[in-house]
Every structure is written in structure tokens, then in C-alpha cells.
Amino acid sequence: MAQFPQQNGPIGVFDSGYGGLTILSEIRKHLPQYDYIYLGDNARTPYGTRSFDVVYEYTRQCVEKLFDLGCPLVILGCNTASAKALKSIQMTDLPLWNPDRRVLGVIRPTVEQIDSFTKTRHVGLFATVGTVQSESYPIEIHKLFPDIQISSVACPLWVPLVENGESASEGADFFVKKYVDQLLSQDSQIDTVILGCTHYPLLLPKIRQYLPAHINVISQGSIVAASLDDYLHRHADLEALLTRGGACHFFTTESEEKFKKSAAIFLSEDVDVQRIQLC
Ligand code: DGL
């Protein structure tokens, strides 16, 4: 296994595909002073329907690549990877690679904020099949707030809708309404819903349309960004290693042309992207 000496470098943001771009955008808005590398494993997306072992192995390879590219800190901007791979990477791989490098996920920062949104203590979750089956959200929520009841609905068709640029189409209405109705039929007291997949903010206008107006909808981007800011204030040694200048480099495991076209759905800027091999 490779070892990575600690060094100065950019913040790495990883996702199985494009969804992590919603997290990257918010982090860059909040912390524009740092340099960033985004890596999308577009050749092997989606992760949401894959087994624990496969998600762990794919995520591990991508984190290793981001360390190899010089990132002292990697954010798993993907709920499925955060649910299925983060703990194993932190406990098994980091000690061997370099315990001073850091890997953080998106679930814990989201869960930490949930208390300030819900009054009824009934919360809903939309996420991928993998994230729902992992039960990471209920487990993490109950560690901090044992009184909160959580109901989950897996939405396997939302990621393909977003990736194919169909978020605003009439076809999207059917599947947004379907999963919203499923959630509300499980628990009518829900007053807060977590969008537990980094693609879902692009469906927010439609989700909002079918959810009763009194229900809060939590998108993760700004929460993850604020949490990272706070983390860096508490970890000055790590923060001092982050290079500054606002540069952002994009890497994909799929074709560069495809990435550029699809990234435009998520970002309002043209991106320069480079294809890389993982092994
Ligand atoms: N980005 C992933 C997440 O946040 C969803 C996409 C996938 O299934 O790979 O869960």
C-alpha cells in the first residue's frame, strides 16, 4: 500500500459522478481562498445501487488518487460513499497511508444540524438505495438526538433524471411525486426532509412543488461548507497545509467531453477537465 508524506496541497472533493459538484460549489462559495481538486468516478457511477464492498473499494481507490495528487484533506462529497466507505477508510486505510491526512464525509455535518430544523421531531430522508440500506442516517441521528423519528425513501430514479438533464421536465413530476407521496404516507408528522444525495438539490423546485409548504427541506451544500469552515478553524495544522489561490482542477475517470457537457448541468462555468486512470 502507498504511503503519503504530509505536504501542502489543495482540498480534494470526491464524488461517484457529478452530484458532488453541488457540494464543491457551496464549499468554493464559502471558502474561495483555497485551491481544489474535484474527482468524479464517472466511469463507474452510480454507486447508489452497489454493494458495501464495491463502494468501499471504488472510494478507497479515488481517495488514494486524490492523496497522490497532493490533497492533505479529502471530502467525500457523496452520501453513498460517506455511508458505505468513510468509516473503513478512516479506520483501516488512513493509519497506513498517513494518519495526518484527513477524509471527511457529508452525513455527519448534515445530521448535526437536524435538531435546529425539526419541531415535531419527525424527519424524512430521500437518498439512494445504498444510503437508505446502510441506515447511516438513522444511526448517526440517534447518536445525537435519540428522540427524533426518521422515515426513509430510496429514490433510484432521481439520479438518472438529474444526470440526463431531465430535472425540470414533465417526466420528472411523476417520479418526484411518487417518492414524496411514499414518504408522507409513512409519517404525516414529518416537518423536515433531508435531501441525502448530492444530486437531489437539482430537483428541489419539483420536490418543493409536491411537499407541503410547512416542511423544511435540507440541502447539504451550505451545511457541509459551514462545517468544513468550522473544522479548519479547529485544525490549524491541517489548515496551514492548504494551498491558496482559488484554483480548481477537475478530473474524471470517463471521457472529458462527456464530463464537460454534464458538468454544465451542475455548474454555471465551463470546466477544464482531465481524464485519469485509477490503477
Ligand atoms: N452522489 C451520490 C450520493 O450522494 C449519488 C449518485 C450515485 O448513486 O452514484 O449518494
Side-chain angles (χ1 to χ4, degrees), residues 79-96:
N79 287 271
T80 310
S82 300
K84 291 185 155 187
L86 179 62
K87 283 230 157 56
S88 303
I89 289 174
Q90 286 175 333
M91 293 173 77
T92 310
D93 300 298
L94 264 184
L96 301 172

Side-chain angles (χ1 to χ4, degrees), residues 16-32:
S16 58
Y18 301 108
L21 293 171
T22 62
I23 301 288
L24 175 74
S25 294
E26 289 295 331
I27 293 178
R28 286 181 74 198
K29 243 190 259 166
H30 204 95
L31 299 165

Side-chain angles (χ1 to χ4, degrees), residues 15-20 44-49 77-81 106 127-128 131 159 163 196-200 220:
D15 184 50
S16 58
Y18 301 108
R44 302 188 296 191
T45 200
Y47 281 17
T49 47
C78 174
N79 287 271
T80 310
V106 290
T128 64
T131 299
V159 168
E163 295 247 337
C197 171
T198 50
H199 282 69
Y200 298 173
Q220 295 173 300

Side-chain angles (χ1 to χ4, degrees), residues 7-172:
Q7 63 178 87
N8 293 357
I11 297 174
V13 178
F14 161 72
D15 184 50
S16 58
Y18 301 108
L21 293 171
T22 62
I23 301 288
L24 175 74
S25 294
E26 289 295 331
I27 293 178
R28 286 181 74 198
K29 243 190 259 166
H30 204 95
L31 299 165
Q33 66 272 37
Y34 301 116
D35 295 329
Y36 295 89
I37 291 180
Y38 183 85
L39 170 57
D41 192 6
N42 304 89
R44 302 188 296 191
T45 200
Y47 281 17
T49 47
R50 296 189 189 275
S51 66
F52 179 95
D53 287 352
V54 170
V55 173
Y56 166 49
E57 183 52 27
Y58 285 3
T59 306
R60 199 183 61 75
Q61 288 170 3
C62 291
V63 171
E64 194 165 6
K65 177 56 78 176
L66 285 164
F67 282 167
D68 200 29
L69 291 167
C71 301
L73 164 69
V74 172
I75 312 295
L76 302 185
C78 174
N79 287 271
T80 310
S82 300
K84 291 185 155 187
L86 179 62
K87 283 230 157 56
S88 303
I89 289 174
Q90 286 175 333
M91 293 173 77
T92 310
D93 300 298
L94 264 184
L96 301 172
W97 284 330
N98 181 338
D100 292 333
R101 295 214 186 185
R102 289 283 179 272
V103 184
L104 305 173
V106 290
I107 294 179
R108 180 78 188 193
T110 309
V111 164
E112 282 171 355
Q113 295 306 314
I114 195 81
D115 187 49
S116 60
F117 287 93
T118 178
K119 290 197 169 55
T120 62
R121 319 302 279 173
H122 290 249
V123 169
L125 170 72
F126 293 124
T128 64
V129 175
T131 299
V132 169
Q133 283 176 350
S134 74
E135 301 212 336
S136 295
Y137 272 96
I139 291 167
E140 291 299 324
I141 286 175
H142 288 146
K143 275 185 203 161
L144 297 179
F145 312 112
D147 63 316
I148 289 181
Q149 286 197 38
I150 175 147
S151 306
S152 308
V153 169
C155 313
L157 288 158
W158 283 6
V159 168
L161 281 171
V162 172
E163 295 247 337
N164 288 292
E166 296 288 336
S167 311
S169 72
E170 279 178 26

